[in-house]
Amino acid sequence: MKLFEQNSCLDKNIFLRTESQTLTYEQVFSTGDAIFDGPEKKIILILCEKSVDTIIAYVGAIRNNKVPLLIDANFKVDLINGFIDKYHPDFIACTDDSNLILDGYSPFKSLASLRIFKKNAPSGYEISNDLALLVPTSGSTGDPKCVRISYRNIDSCTQAICEYLKFSQHRVCLSILPIHYSYGLSVLHNCIYERASYVVSDVNVLDKVFWSILTDFSITDLSGVPFTFKVLKRAVVDYKDFPNLQCVTQAGGYMPEADTKFFQERFADAGISYFSMYGQTEASPRISYLAPEYAFSKHGSVGVPLSCGKVSLLGTDADGVGELCYEGPNVALGYAEGYQDLARGDEFKGILKTGDLAKIDEDGFIRIMGRLKRFIKLAGISVNLDRIEKDLNGRFNSVVVIGKDEKIIALTEGDNSAEIKSFIASTYGFNKANIKSQQISSVPLNASGKTDYKQLTQDFC
């Protein structure tokens, strides 16, 4: 795998930086290599934090034929246990305060803040030689379904992204996005591919210290989801005051066209390249990008496909709208719902039906028109509405869940809407500001006797 191969000329470059620590690629590689024994293909579940140790464990795993299963360390314990039960990982990487009861595992290795546990009895199931990475499809609900990503997927996508971003070893990225999130992970991959620097910090755009970090670490690249830019829009700041800042990218869900135009103008005025991007985890994770030079002539578009791929439309209507289909070497192998699926080969065959409705203009630029799938994005993370609805109906009666990006809407025939809202917030850790719960007289049904989600979406979204 090209990203993680030794490079004697560039591995002395600075890789990870914090307020108190600086590590070269050579140091990170050697520390990660020391964690694992033997070249056998194994699964390691990593409870991911914004930390140097999380990155070392991830890099060490990939370099030593282990397959990381990336889980948010802030997941509730029962959700984490669900992944352990489904995938039977041979290794688990977590901090002391994770509160996991790891029956059948023993302490194996330690980093400064991270403990590696090893299964007492090897799992022994078969794993495809092509499998490099497992990323959950739903970032917050604990659904055990994962995307199976190969080494080729990661290499081809990263190379194409670095190409259009004109990325180099002289760039410095900031860890605004978590690495268990496919967009955040791709930022880390860009740095590794070109041997650029990555600043590890818990800071976010809501913190006043965020702006001093941009200066103190000479940050050149920022990446954010729509919520990131919603906060930045309120900031009274002149981006010309940050001469090192070269490139800003936005992905992770729909952003209102007015907001996109606002940032296109602000960053263009400061001489900063701004890229609107579109992708899915199943594309490892990028499908298209809108380069700065087309920001105004193709406003509202998510750009053109990566250089390694191509797009088409399926089932177009009279207006030329159809389901967007992407084809390229970065399309994942398929899905897994447990360890039994890890021996599977390439089931997608390089073709991804995105589930998104789109139009493609005469110049090949893509405009997303809507979704076929019952997923929304919350702070850039995919949320499975069907999963939440199923969980709610296991506790309450007659609840349907709809939504749009940044808003979950629970509709109930009972008088328990406040209780439902609290349940959603506490179960998944969502902010209550992103949840709406409302009583309705009855759930509308379509001609097939099924819940009419289209009508509900029109009435309540």
Side-chain angles (χ1 to χ4, degrees), residues 67-175:
V67 179
L69 168 54
L70 303 181
I71 305 295
D72 185 353
N74 294 315
F75 261 11
K76 293 183 179 297
V77 171
D78 59 333
L79 299 183
I80 297 170
N81 286 334
F83 280 96
I84 295 173
D85 291 342
K86 287 288 186 180
Y87 289 93
H88 298 178
D90 279 285
F91 299 93
I92 296 175
C94 59
T95 58
D96 288 334
D97 59 0
S98 60
N99 297 317
L100 289 178
I101 299 174
L102 298 175
D103 291 332
Y105 290 82
S106 298
F108 178 60
K109 295 284 179 69
S110 294
L111 294 169
S113 64
L114 205 64
R115 305 290 175 262
I116 315 292
F117 293 83
K118 187 176 182 180
K119 208 169 191 292
N120 295 335
S123 297
Y125 51 78
E126 186 179 350
I127 303 173
S128 168
N129 286 330
D130 293 329
L131 184 62
L133 177 64
L134 292 167
V135 180
T137 57
S138 183
S140 298
T141 57
D143 190 332
K145 187 177 182 181
C146 289
V147 179
R148 296 183 290 114
I149 296 174
S150 74
Y151 302 105
R152 179 173 181 250
N153 295 156
I154 297 172
D155 273 342
S156 59
C157 193
T158 305
Q159 181 176 350
I161 294 171
C162 288
E163 176 185 295
Y164 72 71
L165 292 180
K166 297 180 173 60
F167 209 75
S168 76
Q169 63 175 307
H170 304 295
R171 306 284 270 271
V172 182
C173 294
L174 178 62
S175 62

Side-chain angles (χ1 to χ4, degrees), residues 227 378-379 406-409 430-436:
F227 176 77
L378 214 60
E406 308 303 337
K407 183 69 74 173
I408 294 171
I409 303 169
F430 299 145
N431 190 317
K432 282 190 175 183
N434 297 111
I435 306 167
K436 178 181 178 181

Side-chain angles (χ1 to χ4, degrees), residues 8 51 113 143 169 196 232 238 251 254 271 285 289 320 324 333 351 354 377-378 385:
S8 57
S51 72
S113 64
D143 190 332
Q169 63 175 307
L232 289 178
D238 186 349
Y254 171 77
Y289 66 98
L324 185 67
L333 302 172
I351 298 173
T354 66
K377 291 286 182 74
L378 214 60
L385 298 179

Side-chain angles (χ1 to χ4, degrees), residues 233 254-265 299-300:
K233 191 175 181 181
Y254 171 77
M255 193 159 84
E257 289 188 17
D259 289 347
T260 299
K261 185 176 182 181
F262 173 85
F263 284 106
Q264 287 169 337
E265 292 173 347
H299 178 64

Side-chain angles (χ1 to χ4, degrees), residues 129-319:
N129 286 330
D130 293 329
L131 184 62
L133 177 64
L134 292 167
V135 180
T137 57
S138 183
S140 298
T141 57
D143 190 332
K145 187 177 182 181
C146 289
V147 179
R148 296 183 290 114
I149 296 174
S150 74
Y151 302 105
R152 179 173 181 250
N153 295 156
I154 297 172
D155 273 342
S156 59
C157 193
T158 305
Q159 181 176 350
I161 294 171
C162 288
E163 176 185 295
Y164 72 71
L165 292 180
K166 297 180 173 60
F167 209 75
S168 76
Q169 63 175 307
H170 304 295
R171 306 284 270 271
V172 182
C173 294
L174 178 62
S175 62
I176 294 177
L177 304 170
I179 70 164
H180 62 263
Y181 171 39
S182 58
Y183 178 20
L185 185 62
S186 74
V187 175
L188 180 68
H189 285 164
N190 295 345
C191 290
I192 296 172
Y193 187 84
E194 293 290 352
R195 298 303 193 259
S197 295
Y198 186 85
V199 176
V200 184
S201 172
D202 277 330
V203 70
N204 63 58
V205 292
L206 291 167
D207 300 326
K208 290 182 179 179
V209 72
F210 169 79
W211 302 103
S212 61
I213 284 181
L214 294 189
T215 299
D216 294 345
F217 286 93
S218 300
I219 301 297
T220 65
D221 288 68
L222 289 179
S223 299
V225 296
F227 176 77
T228 311
F229 293 92
K230 183 178 180 179
V231 175
L232 289 178
K233 191 175 181 181
R234 296 197 297 263
V236 181
V237 60
D238 186 349
Y239 290 98
K240 292 178 183 177
D241 292 337
F242 303 94
N244 291 301
L245 192 58
Q246 300 177 29
C247 181
V248 176
T249 64
Q250 179 271 317
Y254 171 77
M255 193 159 84
E257 289 188 17
D259 289 347
T260 299
K261 185 176 182 181
F262 173 85
F263 284 106
Q264 287 169 337
E265 292 173 347
R266 290 292 301 277
F267 289 126
D269 184 57
I272 298 167
S273 297
Y274 176 75
F275 290 80
S276 296
M277 308 189 303
Y278 164 75
Q280 294 183 357
T281 302
E282 291 86 344
S284 311
R286 190 66 52 237
I287 290 174
S288 69
Y289 66 98
L290 182 66
E293 56 266 33
Y294 295 103
F296 301 104
S297 62
K298 297 295 183 179
H299 178 64
S301 161
V302 294
V304 296
L306 302 184
S307 60
C308 63
K310 59 183 180 180
V311 292
S312 59
L313 296 177
L314 301 175
T316 53
D317 61 17
D319 296 321

Side-chain angles (χ1 to χ4, degrees), residues 315-348:
T316 53
D317 61 17
D319 296 321
V321 177
E323 182 181 5
L324 185 67
C325 183
Y326 174 80
E327 184 175 354
N330 54 311
V331 174
L333 302 172
Y335 297 112
E337 297 194 38
Y339 70 88
Q340 301 93 334
D341 299 323
L342 302 184
R344 295 178 181 274
D346 186 358
E347 296 178 321
F348 284 173

